[in-house]
Amino acid sequence: MSDITDAARAILAFNDRGGYTVPTDALYPFQWNWDSAFVSMGFATFNIDRAYQELERLIEGQWDDGMLPHIVFHVPSDTYFPGPDVWNTHHRHHKKPTTSGITQPPVFGMALRYIYEIALTEGREDVLARTRLLFHAALRSHRWWMKVRDPEKRGLVAILHPWESGSDNSPAWDEALARVSTITKTEICRQDTKHVSAAMRPHHADYQRFIHLVEVYRECKWDPVKQWSAAPFKVADVQMTAILARATADLIWIASHLNLLDEINELSTIHRILLDGLRGRWRNNLRGFVSLDLISGKDIQKPTQAYFIPLIAIELDTYQHEAVQDEIERWCNGMIVGVPSTAPFSSDFESKRYWRGPVWAVINWLIVDGLCKNHLAELAAIIEGNTINAIERAGFREYFDPITGEGLGGNSFSWTAAAYLVLRH
Ligand code: 9WN
């Protein structure tokens, strides 16, 4: 085992708060939804029990209606804003711990399959009951997605808050977010810029809008039907839909192993619906998949990494195959490390500002996976190699400047460590 693999494992140990992992110390002091799913896969490369535990701790926060919240506040901390009092979700979730009121990409199902497969190769029949329990939690969350976030039956699931996408200040949300008021009742006490330079974080006006949205939904008492009608921000997101579709395929795989026939049928229907929805979002002229602004009714054409995430779920046709390869190569041209989260030729590109340009190891992990699934192994190997090199050069940082390779944002980052372990596995 290399020293760097050792260092990656040490980061997961350092960020362990008792069966769950914080994304990084201080900047993000709670359990985040999709971070933990990625992290559980990192653990699975060397400690199956700890991998299962990560997901088990996450579902402690699952709501009665099936939603898996984006943050679980297991223990109090004053180093992050907004904390539990701003969300005020207590009445939606009667058990402890308290949680935020929105969700995040459902990588959970992908993670469960990944760790279950490793457990099987290790001959761990004892994980069956744990797998079944987590499978049912995932299934309840997929039902929630379909019912609550695609009520108009487009085959695409919607986000009601940019934080749900996990790509918070992506240029993809600019137009839709500009319609949201900057007025807030809550005082905005940002903590993030105490840990990380403001130049690498969202702007103040973004935060005002993020908090305004929280207030709108809090006034709906977090009732999903009321939120759907009140939402001033509503986007059918291709990245979210692709992750949900892929996680659904992974749950079907698990259900087949567990011989759960009714569940296989139910999930297969969901899978078909989502694939149809995704296929309709391809645009030849843009050489990628685009999200849909449900308030303006318009395509979101901004070139972001989301263009390529559907590859994890669908098989491209011959034309798309070539187009995607050319387009990814174009975005990476001249970069020390690709794939940038915003195309470098776009006027929105900022190489150091969070989701407006920097490279994220977990996004590359998804892109590599999607390229392999679509028989583009050579390009996948290049991106995988660049990601590993970037981490080895700059450390386990939150994100990387694609032009210089510099490490940015938080340090000793859990999902970057997990990405390293999985890509190296
Ligand atoms: C808001 C934890 C999370 C990631 C997101 C990333 C960032 C939070 C923030 O950090 O978002 O959820 O406060 O900036 O954008 O993808 O899950 O690592």
Side-chain angles (χ1 to χ4, degrees):
M1 194 191 1
S2 80
D3 289 352
I4 305 181
T5 300
D6 261 349
R9 293 181 182 187
I11 284 173
L12 296 189
F14 178 73
N15 290 336
D16 187 340
R17 296 291 180 273
Y20 73 92
T21 312
V22 296
T24 185
D25 195 37
L27 176 63
Y28 303 125
F30 308 111
Q31 185 176 23
W32 258 259
N33 180 333
W34 73 328
D35 294 63
S36 271
F38 285 117
V39 160
S40 75
M41 293 189 258
F43 272 122
T45 64
F46 65 101
N47 183 345
I48 277 295
D49 287 306
R50 185 59 186 77
Y52 272 92
Q53 205 183 13
E54 188 73 31
L55 299 182
E56 288 160 354
R57 300 274 353 233
L58 188 66
I59 63 166
E60 286 175 23
Q62 185 164 31
W63 283 18
D64 301 342
D65 66 2
M67 185 185 80
L68 277 175
H70 104 293
I71 306 176
V72 184
F73 300 111
H74 288 287
V75 289
S77 166
D78 55 10
T79 63
Y80 183 80
F81 173 83
D85 293 346
V86 178
W87 293 96
N88 194 16
T89 62
H90 314 276
H91 61 287
R92 299 283 312 167
H93 179 248
H94 302 100
K95 299 164 281 178
K96 289 196 166 184
T98 54
T99 70
S100 69
I102 57 172
T103 188
Q104 256 192 337
V107 177
F108 190 100
M110 298 171 61
L112 185 58
R113 174 180 175 170
Y114 186 90
I115 66 179
Y116 181 46
E117 268 195 280
I118 293 187
L120 290 178
T121 59
E122 290 178 1
R124 294 280 309 263
E125 293 304 328
D126 61 307
V127 297
L128 211 65
R130 298 174 91 177
T131 307
R132 196 170 284 132
L133 192 128
L134 291 168
F135 167 85
H136 283 291
L139 177 59
R140 291 204 302 123
S141 108
H142 285 222
R143 285 180 185 143
W144 176 88
W145 273 108
M146 298 308 288
K147 179 171 169 211
V148 164
R149 295 308 181 87
D150 186 21
E152 288 148 20
K153 310 239 173 294
R154 291 183 180 85
L156 300 165
V157 289
I159 54 169
L160 304 186
H161 195 301
W163 278 336
E164 294 196 311
S165 70
S167 314
D168 316 344
N169 68 338
S170 170
W173 318 137
D174 284 359
E175 210 177 301
L177 196 59
R179 285 183 222 117
V180 175
S181 163
T182 53
I183 297 168
T184 62
K185 294 180 193 146
T186 314
E187 193 194 344
I188 298 183
C189 311
R190 284 182 71 169
Q191 301 294 318
D192 56 324
T193 44
K194 294 183 184 157
H195 308 291
V196 169
S197 155
M200 298 177 200
R201 296 285 306 174
H203 292 288
H204 183 62
D206 296 328
Y207 260 78
Q208 290 175 303
R209 294 186 164 103
F210 293 163
I211 296 302
H212 180 88
L213 287 172
V214 170
E215 289 175 349
V216 171
Y217 305 139
R218 198 176 61 197
E219 273 160 31
C220 294
K221 303 206 177 327
W222 301 105
D223 174 325
V225 176
K226 289 192 183 135
Q227 283 177 252
W228 185 265
S229 346
F233 176 95
K234 201 189 287 182
V235 173
D237 176 12
V238 285
Q239 177 165 297
M240 191 70 89
T241 304
I243 292 173
L244 184 65
R246 167 57 179 276
T248 302
D250 288 339
L251 292 184
I252 294 171
W253 186 92
I254 298 170
S256 314
H257 268 253
L258 302 180
N259 213 16
L260 300 170
L261 300 182
D262 289 346
E263 287 81 352
I264 295 174
N265 286 338
E266 180 183 354
L267 287 162
S268 301
T269 306
I270 295 177
H271 191 232
R272 256 195 317 275
I273 293 172
L274 295 173
L275 291 194
D276 284 349
L278 275 178
R279 285 197 196 96
R281 302 310 302 160
W282 169 263
R283 295 292 174 268
N284 273 344
N285 59 329
L286 301 172
R287 309 205 285 187
F289 294 84
V290 297
S291 295
L292 174 66
D293 185 330
L294 293 180
I295 292 184
S296 68
K298 286 194 201 146
D299 280 2
I300 295 179
Q301 301 197 343
K302 295 278 176 84
T304 70
Q305 86 286 341
Y307 267 31
F308 311 120
I309 303 298
L311 274 71
I312 62 171
I314 66 178
E315 295 251 353
L316 300 175
D317 65 28
T318 319
Y319 174 81
Q320 292 171 329
H321 203 259
E322 256 177 54
V324 161
Q325 178 163 13
D326 286 355
E327 193 61 10
I328 293 181
E329 283 170 356
R330 183 160 85 107
W331 290 33
C332 294
N333 189 19
M335 301 291 122
I336 292 240
V337 50
V339 180
S341 49
T342 299
F345 48 81
S346 149
S347 57
D348 296 305
F349 176 77
E350 291 180 77
S351 69
K352 293 187 181 353
R353 198 182 291 282
Y354 214 38
W355 289 95
R356 303 183 76 86
V359 171
W360 294 71
V362 292
I363 291 296
N364 277 8
W365 169 1
L366 294 177
I367 292 176
V368 165
D369 184 294
L371 288 170
C372 289
K373 184 176 159 55
N374 279 282
H375 321 292
L376 288 162
E378 237 172 84
L379 182 56
I382 293 172
I383 295 169
E384 182 177 273
N386 281 343
T387 313
I388 289 170
N389 289 341
I391 296 171
E392 291 184 347
R393 238 185 351 247
F396 295 95
R397 300 298 299 266
E398 189 176 6
Y399 38 91
F400 302 88
D401 182 327
I403 298 173
T404 63
E406 185 190 349
L408 306 167
N411 264 308
S412 302
F413 224 84
S414 298
W415 71 7
T416 311
Y420 188 83
L421 292 170
V422 168
L423 294 177
R424 273 265 183 233
H425 192 58

